[in-house]
Amino acid sequence: NSPTNAAAFQSFGKAITVIPNGAEPRPESIEPVELPGPRLKSPLLGYVGNMRDRVDWKLIEGIAKQRPDWQIVLVGEAPPHIEAHGVAQRCENVRLTGILPYDQARSLMTTFDVGIIPHVLSDQSTRMDPLKLYNMVAMGIPVVSTAHPTAIGMSDHVAIGHDVGSFIDRIKDALAAERPDPAAIDISDFAWSTRVKTMFSLIDGLPEALSCRSEAP
């Protein structure tokens, strides 16, 4: 799902096609999500995903401390040894929700004023194609990210921050800008339906002996 992964597997075969992740349309009806504890307040910055070493915790803590008027909500699994818990203890404006069911996570995402993807730039992150990025763009949520390849490739929809100062500046820009109407956002280029059509067209083009359409013995 990324050019870096395709390059890594090039020695196993020449016919490698990169098919990135995709997005679903914004839910037609959105059920409010009630979380334990105080109600989330705006401006609300949100991250959704497994919180492991790929997340730049120094960056999140720096943003939280410099802008105590912003609330940061982190949705997803945060194992006990991960620094997320330390950041949440030191910063009152950082909130961990734990794992939420998919529909609840998507509903909560619609309340984000800005979506953030503060990933560490590493060999791991250059191989990733964050699903959350496509979903937030499809929902009309402005996104600020570190400069991993997918974010750079989606630069028409995503602002790039390189450190605490520039990340805060890009968030301020996003908060000041008019938010797009989700119904007017064209996601046809990266919708899951488009991705699946591409996959099936590639399968249909394979020789019959290699195709999954061959009859079982």
Side-chain angles (χ1 to χ4, degrees), residues 86 108 131 200 205:
L108 185 57
L131 178 62
F200 278 116

Side-chain angles (χ1 to χ4, degrees), residues 34-46:
E34 295 295 334
L35 298 174
R39 183 179 295 274
L40 296 173
K41 61 181 182 179
S42 188
L44 181 61
L45 318 179

